[in-house]
Amino acid sequence: MKKAASDFQVFVKPVGALCNLACKYCYYLKSGALNPEKGNARMPDELLEDYIVQHINASPGPDIFFSWHGGEPTMAGLQYFKRIVEIQRTHKPKDCLIVNGLQTNGTLLNDDWCQFLAAENFMVGISIDGPEDLQSVFRNTKEGNPSFEETIRGYELLKTYGIHCEILCVVNAVNVEKPIRVYRFFKELQCKFLTFLPLVERLPSGENVASERSVSAKAFGHFLCTIFDEWKAFDIGEIKIQIFEEALRTAFDQEHTICIFKRTCGNVPVVERNGDFYPCDHYVDENHLIGNIGQTSLVELLESRSQKAFGMKKRDTLPYFCLECEVLDMCNGACPKDRFIQTPDGKPGLNYLCEGYKFFFTHSKPFIEEVSEVWKSGQWAVGSLPSPK
């Protein structure tokens, strides 16, 4: 049975772009027009089982990871997710471990949901942009009501049930100005795993114009550096922040784990609720549809020429300006979707966030080099610095 050549992660959208919130910056809502909701809008049971079987068969193993996204995936209902786990158990190979990840806004979680998530060892990402006034700028219901209280209630339930939980914070033009306030708020929530996602919305009216709510590159760099300094002073070993962890991987000569900082991409495709396969969740549009798992197997789509070409394009289109950069190994040009400005010498393809990333990686580099020296000297003290594992 043919396996994928390397590990992969598929963002599966069992209810497509359907969501109970109307976050102003949500790019998933645009993809809903490609697959209009009908009936209960869920991925049909037969297709769901077909997908799960194909995913298991394609995985190199021994660990098999499923990522359930949306929209808001909990809108599929608890019974639907119980069915997912039942299908996985039926088809799981003996010596493999299946792990499920769920990305949610947290507002629909209750005790029944959390009992299930805890019992089945789900890993949950929950979206929170900061304290109530910052959360309410962009993350509200379709009626315009705040989502903060329901989100925090859901987060506290996840903590109560001991569920592995990561907070995902979208850094935008508003909360970027409050780095310490945002970070200390998450510390007050006793967050142990934290990811900062920069909001970059490219306006269709201009090749290198971002929306007003997008974070500026310079502000994002200062945001990261400010939080990095506090984390380094007080929270090493207590809180894992994804971009800091990625930067530190270079101290141990390790490859990056997240696609935006890898040399190539293409290992995080999307499967929509009708089985359509797209190369990345930022490229769910008619021009990037590669196929459908109902007609072409998942492993064939993963290994297809189109998918491989999409991934290699990230490396092959990197401007020479980037190739000469002293922090190239930390950034690798970052996400291709944000490469829409020009280099100082007028060449296209520079990442909109270049200035911010370079500022942060340059700022953190002395500490990372110090970590590397300690590790390579064999004087590693467990608990004194982040683990190289």
Side-chain angles (χ1 to χ4, degrees):
M1 187 177 297
K2 186 177 180 181
K3 301 284 186 182
S6 59
D7 290 334
F8 61 88
Q9 180 182 2
V10 179
F11 284 179
V12 193
K13 296 164 67 176
V15 293
L18 190 67
C19 188
N20 62 318
L21 298 186
C23 302
K24 294 177 182 177
Y25 53 58
C26 181
Y27 57 90
Y28 276 157
L29 294 177
K30 299 175 185 176
S31 68
L34 296 174
N35 187 17
E37 288 113 8
K38 296 177 182 178
N40 60 21
R42 296 186 306 204
M43 179 182 285
D45 287 353
E46 184 177 346
L47 180 60
L48 175 67
E49 182 162 13
D50 187 30
Y51 165 71
I52 291 173
V53 171
Q54 289 192 44
H55 187 114
I56 290 172
N57 290 340
S59 297
D63 294 345
I64 303 172
F65 189 72
F66 286 85
S67 297
W68 305 99
H69 279 244
E72 175 49 46
T74 59
M75 291 189 74
L78 179 54
Q79 292 305 314
Y80 190 84
F81 272 85
K82 287 182 177 180
R83 174 63 179 150
I84 285 172
V85 171
E86 179 184 321
I87 295 170
Q88 290 172 339
R89 285 202 183 101
T90 300
H91 297 283
K92 184 181 83 70
K94 284 185 179 179
D95 299 325
C96 289
L97 173 67
I98 289 181
V99 179
N100 285 287
L102 177 73
Q103 180 59 40
T104 179
N105 59 43
T107 61
L108 301 179
L109 297 177
N110 55 27
D111 287 299
D112 290 341
W113 263 108
C114 289
Q115 287 170 8
F116 165 76
L117 296 171
E120 301 299 339
N121 296 312
F122 269 64
M123 303 172 68
V124 177
I126 186 167
S127 299
I128 308 174
D129 287 355
E132 184 169 7
D133 59 317
L134 299 180
Q135 168 88 352
S136 298
V137 175
F138 298 120
R139 300 190 61 84
N140 296 306
T141 68
K142 294 177 180 179
E143 296 74 32
N145 299 320
S147 64
F148 180 80
E149 288 187 7
E150 289 302 297
T151 299
I152 296 301
R153 180 194 56 77
Y155 173 75
E156 293 295 342
L157 275 173
L158 292 170
K159 278 192 355 184
T160 298
Y161 282 89
I163 296 163
H164 184 285
C165 182
E166 174 184 14
I167 290 178
L168 283 82
C169 171
V170 175
V171 185
N172 53 66
V174 179
N175 61 4
V176 73
E177 301 297 335
K178 309 287 184 182
I180 291 300
R181 184 167 174 241
V182 168
Y183 181 54
R184 289 180 180 172
F185 170 74
F186 292 138
K187 288 170 67 172
E188 290 171 5
L189 291 181
Q190 300 179 325
C191 171
K192 297 299 181 183
F193 302 92
L194 181 58
T195 291
F196 293 116
L197 303 174
L199 175 62
V200 180
E201 295 177 318
R202 181 180 179 181
L203 294 181
S205 58
E207 283 299 311
N208 33 345
V209 178
S211 70
E212 291 185 357
R213 57 183 173 234
S214 295
V215 67
S216 77
K218 184 175 182 179
F220 186 56
H222 282 281
F223 178 91
L224 292 175
C225 290
T226 302
I227 293 175
F228 179 81
D229 289 343
E230 174 144 337
W231 172 83
K232 183 163 65 78
F234 303 109
D235 301 316
I236 289 177
E238 295 297 321
I239 301 175
K240 288 185 179 293
I241 300 177
Q242 187 185 60
I243 191 170
F244 301 170
E245 296 288 316
E246 288 297 317
L248 280 160
R249 293 185 72 81
T250 61
F252 310 118
D253 299 320
Q254 295 175 328
E255 184 183 356
H256 288 295
T257 61
I258 60 173
C259 57
I260 64 170
F261 296 136
K262 288 185 175 183
R263 292 185 68 209
T264 61
C265 57
N267 284 334
V268 192
V270 166
V271 171
E272 286 283 345
R273 64 182 182 88
N274 67 343
D276 282 347
F277 179 101
Y278 296 88
C280 166
D281 67 336
H282 292 291
Y283 291 86
V284 178
D285 57 56
E286 292 179 350
N287 295 329
H288 290 91
L289 174 63
I290 292 180
N292 186 287
I293 63 169
Q295 287 81 47
T296 307
S297 70
L298 178 64
V299 69
E300 289 179 279
L301 293 167
L302 288 166
E303 300 297 321
S304 67
R305 183 178 299 178
S306 296
Q307 185 69 5
K308 296 298 182 184
F310 176 87
M312 295 300 291
K313 188 176 180 181
K314 176 183 179 181
R315 182 199 66 185
D316 296 343
T317 59
L318 201 61
Y320 187 74
F321 176 79
C322 295
L323 297 176
E324 292 187 311
C325 181
E326 60 270 25
V327 294
L328 174 63
D329 61 335
M330 292 177 161
C331 171
N332 286 306
C335 185
K337 84 171 181 69
D338 298 331
R339 293 184 185 175
F340 58 86
I341 64 171
Q342 293 184 340
T343 65
D345 58 351
K347 297 296 189 294
L350 185 65
N351 196 294
Y352 168 85
L353 293 171
C354 173
E355 181 184 0
Y357 280 133
K358 189 169 185 178
F359 185 70
F360 165 67
F361 287 129
T362 302
H363 179 82
S364 62
K365 199 167 186 179
F367 173 70
I368 292 165
E369 290 173 343
E370 179 186 348
V371 170
S372 182
E373 289 176 10
V374 172
W375 178 57
K376 291 175 180 177
S377 71
Q379 299 176 12
W380 194 267
V382 177
S384 62
L385 291 169
S387 169
K389 295 181 181 179

